[in-house]
Amino acid sequence: MARRSKIVSSTLIAGALLLTSLGLGGIAMSAETPAAKSAGGGVTATHAAHAGHTAHAGHTAHAGHAMAASSAASPEDPDGDGYIPANPPVTGVTPSTKEPPHRYFHEFQANCSVSHTKADDPIVYPQRPGASHDHTFMGNTTTDAASTTASLDAGRTTCKAPGDKSGYWMPTLFNGDKPVLPTGPQTIYYKAGVTDYTSVRPFPKGLRFVVGDPMQTAEQFRRHPGFVEGWECGDSYFNVEFPKDCPSRPEVQLNIRFQAPSCWDGKYLDTPDHRSHMAYPVVNPGTNNNVCPADHPVALPMVEFKMAFPVNGDLSRARLASGPSWSFHYDFFNAWDAPTLKALVDHCVVGALQCDARGYDQTHPEAGAALDENYELP
């Protein structure tokens, strides 16, 4: 069933513009058709640093996510200082303030299934197997503590597009002691987070970052610039906690949507806190437009996780491996085939289309598709 969306703008919260998608009726499925989902457009709130967050009362601290202290030597970071320079860096870029013709959509989907679970995190704890809480991995089937850009490149993928060998992961959801794993292809959007969608360029190979913070409080989760609809189930939306009124019907699933920062400093593929090289767009003063901040001027696709967990009814025993519901976060490690990613970004994001995983917009068939019927470059 189609879902209507509404962008709610506000300059009352620290001058930030928060995007929320208001779903009316309908059940969010694991992988939806472009016509049945919300509009493109990124979170446009000022980026808030979360490295210093303290745990909410009752939230067990997980050593696997002491971000600032987690750096360790690895093949891509031999000195273990946490900085992985981009080679080459992107220089000479200023945030675009252009206003291209208004188009409601500028996005494509990456549909990727769960491949495995493991207490590893190659971003936060590289080369340290078992150091993290349990994660649910999608995309690259080889992702583990030893993963590098080269190893992901050599791996296989559960994504529809064979060229997407990226690693995507999040804390495993448990209902009591039973893990609840999303079934089938999940929806991972790649959208324009800035008003000038024509300025968006592909991710550099090897870029990685963490979205959200497992140590955040419930209020910090609610106010996070990546917060879209929170936890939702049936007709219950915008929940910080797991919904208590989740209908016990086979077609109902627990869902969450959360958006990543989309502005890059152009210098580092990773930093010690796994966040500082990325930032959320900000509002251009005197306008309603979203632009990258001056210190993170490079506009990249905005990744949005839309995860559907096959659980409903009584969620009183539901928890994340990282802690309570508001500890939700996720990781992204880019290992796309560069020409494939560029084709999708250029055709769908820069081209202002609402594409599926082939790069095809069913409302604009005349535009064709970026990929062939095998989800590969023609």
Side-chain angles (χ1 to χ4, degrees):
M1 184 180 295
R3 170 177 294 172
R4 290 188 295 160
S5 300
K6 179 172 66 177
I7 296 178
V8 183
S9 300
S10 173
T11 55
L12 299 180
I13 304 176
L17 185 68
L18 297 178
L19 180 147
T20 55
S21 298
L22 180 59
L24 301 176
I27 302 301
M29 303 306 291
S30 59
E32 52 185 343
T33 60
K37 63 178 178 56
S38 67
V43 165
T44 53
T46 309
H47 179 52
H50 293 279
H53 286 173
T54 56
H56 186 277
H59 183 170
T60 303
H62 288 270
H65 279 281
M67 298 293 185
S70 66
S71 298
S74 69
E76 293 178 292
D77 182 19
D79 61 5
D81 67 352
Y83 290 95
I84 302 178
N87 185 20
V90 176
T91 60
V93 176
T94 56
S96 176
T97 57
K98 294 179 181 178
E99 295 185 52
H102 175 71
R103 295 292 292 271
Y104 199 57
F105 297 103
H106 10 69
E107 61 182 64
F108 66 91
Q109 294 185 23
N111 296 142
C112 307
S113 301
V114 170
S115 58
H116 61 289
T117 63
K118 190 181 286 284
D120 285 3
D121 191 323
I123 295 177
V124 177
Y125 278 98
Q127 311 299 313
R128 297 177 63 180
S132 177
H133 52 247
D134 198 65
H135 282 108
T136 295
F137 291 88
M138 296 166 290
N140 201 294
T141 62
T142 69
T143 313
D144 61 16
S147 291
T148 63
T149 305
S151 73
L152 294 177
D153 250 346
R156 299 173 64 89
T157 183
T158 65
C159 300
K160 286 185 177 179
D164 185 6
K165 296 184 178 181
S166 301
Y168 307 90
W169 62 96
M170 60 190 171
T172 299
L173 175 71
F174 289 88
N175 191 20
D177 294 327
K178 180 182 179 181
V180 180
L181 305 181
T183 56
Q186 298 301 293
T187 302
I188 301 169
Y189 299 122
Y190 284 62
K191 302 181 178 182
V194 292
T195 298
D196 183 11
Y197 52 85
T198 68
S199 68
V200 176
R201 64 179 70 193
F203 291 114
K205 183 68 76 72
L207 181 74
R208 67 211 73 181
F209 51 81
V210 178
V211 183
D213 189 336
M215 301 307 296
Q216 64 205 351
T217 65
E219 181 65 11
Q220 287 167 334
F221 174 63
R222 187 180 73 81
R223 292 184 176 275
H224 193 282
F227 187 98
V228 181
E229 293 181 355
W231 294 99
E232 54 184 30
C233 192
D235 293 325
S236 180
Y237 302 95
F238 304 105
N239 295 290
V240 170
E241 298 184 0
F242 296 123
K244 294 181 174 58
D245 52 351
C246 188
S248 296
R249 298 198 302 267
E251 73 276 12
V252 174
Q253 299 190 72
L254 177 68
N255 294 266
I256 190 168
R257 297 175 62 182
F258 211 81
Q259 296 179 337
S262 58
C263 297
W264 179 43
D265 65 8
K267 301 174 183 177
Y268 297 105
L269 301 178
D270 197 11
T271 43
D273 66 357
H274 317 296
R275 298 181 179 86
S276 297
H277 54 309
M278 300 296 298
Y280 285 89
V282 296
V283 177
N284 190 24
T287 75
N288 225 8
N289 297 339
N290 312 321
V291 300
C292 283
D295 54 356
H296 292 75
V298 184
L300 301 177
M302 185 273 287
V303 172
E304 177 184 312
F305 266 33
K306 183 172 184 181
M307 301 290 109
F309 300 89
V311 64
N312 54 41
D314 181 9
L315 300 181
S316 61
R317 299 183 66 210
R319 61 182 176 85
L320 295 171
S322 53
S325 56
W326 54 82
S327 70
F328 182 79
H329 59 287
Y330 62 88
D331 301 56
F332 170 68
F333 193 142
N334 176 44
W336 274 89
D337 169 68
T340 303
L341 179 60
K342 178 173 171 52
L344 286 164
V345 170
D346 289 351
H347 186 69
C348 302
V349 180
V350 176
L353 297 174
Q354 184 188 18
C355 295
D356 60 16
R358 276 191 63 208
Y360 177 75
D361 184 344
Q362 63 184 5
T363 64
H364 290 280
E366 75 284 356
L371 307 179
D372 64 18
E373 62 275 7
N374 297 315
Y375 298 88
E376 296 179 320
L377 285 173

